[in-house]
Amino acid sequence: MFRKVLSLSFALSLGGAAAALAADAPAPVITAAGAIHPLPQAAYQPDAKATHKVVFALTKPSEKPGDVNPALERVARAVNLYTSAGVPLSHLKFVAIAYGPATALVLDDEHYRAQFGVANPNLPVIAQLHKAGVDVAVCGQAMAEHKYDNSWASKDVTLALSALTTIGDLERQGYSLMPL
């Protein structure tokens, strides 16, 4: 009996500690994708006082049309990692530009369904990224090459002249390129 009470007390104390740790962990900003494992004790934590400028090059399609694009998922993960490390959203200057085989990820639901037969799983992620201040853009040249009308892009997506000019201009402005 004493062992059972001791075991139960130990389990409850661990549970309380785990609950306290979970309560201290910041909630992810992007919940539609980008799951992370907060590691506050890890090396190379982002500087919460710095401005972080990154342009993400989204170039690959999803393996299955019903899956969130893996590159877009990585952008969501980046937002969640930076914010979980204490960086305010206002210090994140992120642009994610889709082009080439990834272009379709920006299509509105009607046109995505027409092409792939399923709802666009990327739209909730794009909407949350947009709300968090991430500029999700699409290459206008890629839209034309895929024969997509520019009006078919989600309302939360910026139409850029091209990925080539956007990436080059943003790098000149101090953005780091993250090819995905």
Side-chain angles (χ1 to χ4, degrees), residues 84-110:
S84 77
V87 177
L89 280 175
S90 62
H91 290 203
L92 299 181
K93 305 301 179 201
F94 286 179
V95 176
I97 185 157
Y99 60 101
T103 304
L105 75 86
V106 305
L107 293 176
D108 63 25
D109 203 51
E110 175 188 350

Side-chain angles (χ1 to χ4, degrees), residues 6-121:
L6 186 60
S7 295
L8 181 59
S9 295
F10 182 69
L12 287 174
S13 70
L14 283 180
L21 286 174
D24 289 341
V29 173
I30 310 301
T31 58
I36 64 164
H37 306 281
L39 298 170
Q41 75 286 4
Y44 304 110
Q45 296 287 328
D47 181 350
K49 294 179 183 143
T51 297
H52 303 273
K53 298 165 80 173
V54 181
V55 56
F56 299 89
L58 315 181
T59 61
K60 297 177 183 153
S62 298
E63 287 191 25
K64 297 177 192 166
D67 292 344
V68 171
N69 182 285
L72 192 64
E73 191 276 334
R74 300 286 297 227
V75 175
R77 179 174 286 173
V79 171
N80 288 338
L81 285 167
Y82 276 90
T83 57
S84 77
V87 177
L89 280 175
S90 62
H91 290 203
L92 299 181
K93 305 301 179 201
F94 286 179
V95 176
I97 185 157
Y99 60 101
T103 304
L105 75 86
V106 305
L107 293 176
D108 63 25
D109 203 51
E110 175 188 350
H111 294 94
Y112 194 91
R113 278 182 192 274
Q115 182 166 352
F116 299 108
V118 296
N120 187 344

